[in-house]
Amino acid sequence: MVIAITFAGARAITHNSIRRGCDFDKVVRNVKDILNAKRRLGSDVRVIASYVMLSMNVHEIPEFIELCSDLGIEEVVLDNLSYMLNRGMVTWKAFSDPYEARPRRVERIVRMAVDRARELGIKVFNYSLTCWELTECPERPTESLFINVNGEVSPCVFLNLPIRDQDMPRCFMGSCFKVRRLSFGNVADKSLLEIWLDKKYADFRSRFIRRRALGDLVNITEHSLIEYLPPSPCLSCYRLYGV
């Protein structure tokens, strides 16, 4: 079992300005309570702190590592703003698109933070700061799924955002557009196994399974390109590109 807590800053003023309504001091208190309960019960539950790297908070990443050490957190994930709803959010991202220069300043900060974490005995996983197409995205749609509050089953949360409209806003590599929400069924109407085995859902997963079996995308020839393309809604999702 894993308990993941997301931060958007190492200081209250930064975190609170980004994650409005999510009080930094309260989050810290709750983390302390969770870790105290974990120690008291001798639990093996993993407590992970996730830090959303943004243009306005990357300078606080090394400080965040120190905070995690003080709290007793042993695992940290440095994540990206991998889904952007509008052009304003595009300026928040800390990673670079393929047509942009590498974010060398951010890379240096992350290296400093990772080195310090190693000294403190903290495990760190940091997502890439540059785009590179993967055979399957980190959401692992061939092995996992997402069920929203209404019972709709989707391959991941990025294909079924909690919005009222059926079309989701999405910005990707300089363009903003709409993507249709994707659901393969509702657990109120069918069993989860029936939905998982549905032909359309199986066809969706098979695209990633073929890509994974290939092992290396550089082996794709011009003639086999279409056969190894990911599902169309995933082509414009940053998660497929490792960020």
Side-chain angles (χ1 to χ4, degrees):
M1 182 178 176
V2 174
I3 298 176
I5 303 99
T6 300
F7 290 82
R11 308 171 190 172
I13 189 170
T14 307
H15 174 92
N16 293 348
S17 66
I18 297 168
R19 296 180 67 87
R20 296 181 182 179
C22 176
D23 182 69
F24 177 85
D25 293 329
K26 186 175 182 179
V27 173
V28 169
R29 288 196 302 270
N30 289 342
V31 170
K32 289 179 179 177
D33 289 343
I34 290 171
L35 291 171
N36 286 335
K38 171 181 162 71
R39 285 189 287 267
R40 186 173 65 252
L41 298 171
S43 171
D44 60 356
V45 170
R46 294 166 58 200
V47 179
I48 299 175
S50 174
Y51 191 93
V52 183
M53 296 184 290
L54 303 170
S55 59
M56 68 283 277
N57 72 5
V58 291
H59 61 286
E60 292 183 14
I61 297 175
E63 189 176 341
F64 180 68
I65 297 297
E66 300 290 345
L67 171 65
C68 289
S69 177
D70 292 342
L71 290 173
I73 293 174
E74 298 177 346
E75 293 186 63
V76 169
V77 173
L78 301 179
D79 206 349
N80 283 305
L81 179 67
S82 52
Y83 199 104
M84 285 154 276
L85 298 167
N86 53 58
R87 292 192 183 278
M89 293 180 71
V90 174
T91 62
W92 296 3
K93 68 183 180 69
F95 64 88
S96 66
D97 281 333
Y99 55 84
E100 296 174 330
R102 293 178 66 96
R104 298 194 182 278
R105 170 178 168 270
V106 181
E107 290 175 338
R108 285 195 299 271
I109 293 172
V110 169
R111 280 198 301 271
M112 288 170 51
V114 170
D115 289 344
R116 180 56 177 154
R118 190 179 298 115
E119 293 172 355
L120 295 170
I122 297 174
K123 296 179 183 177
V124 176
F125 175 83
N126 56 290
Y127 280 91
S128 175
L129 291 166
T130 56
C131 294
W132 185 263
E133 187 177 348
L134 307 176
T135 54
E136 183 179 3
C137 78
E139 302 304 311
R140 286 291 188 188
T142 58
E143 302 170 5
S144 61
L145 52 81
F146 168 72
I147 305 175
N148 74 2
V149 67
N150 298 317
E152 293 179 356
V153 179
S154 303
C156 74
V157 65
F158 298 106
L159 293 177
N160 196 354
L161 296 181
I163 59 174
R164 294 179 180 178
D165 198 346
Q166 283 299 312
D167 293 323
M168 305 180 299
R170 178 184 288 180
C171 293
F172 178 74
M173 295 192 185
S175 299
C176 293
F177 43 87
K178 297 274 189 175
V179 176
R180 177 68 52 160
R181 288 169 59 188
L182 182 62
S183 171
F184 287 108
N186 195 298
V187 292
D189 304 319
K190 296 180 181 179
S191 72
L192 189 57
L193 182 59
E194 285 181 286
I195 296 172
W196 180 261
L197 296 177
D198 178 82
K199 185 180 184 305
K200 288 183 178 179
Y201 199 172
D203 288 345
F204 179 96
R205 295 193 302 274
S206 70
R207 286 186 170 271
F208 284 113
I209 292 170
R210 286 198 299 269
R211 288 163 63 86
R212 200 167 61 185
L214 186 69
D216 191 339
L217 293 177
V218 299
N219 294 325
I220 296 178
T221 65
E222 182 179 347
H223 298 293
S224 63
L225 176 62
I226 295 178
E227 181 184 356
Y228 290 102
L229 280 176
S232 57
C234 301
L235 275 169
S236 60
C237 180
Y238 277 113
R239 296 299 276 173
L240 183 64
Y241 303 88
V243 297

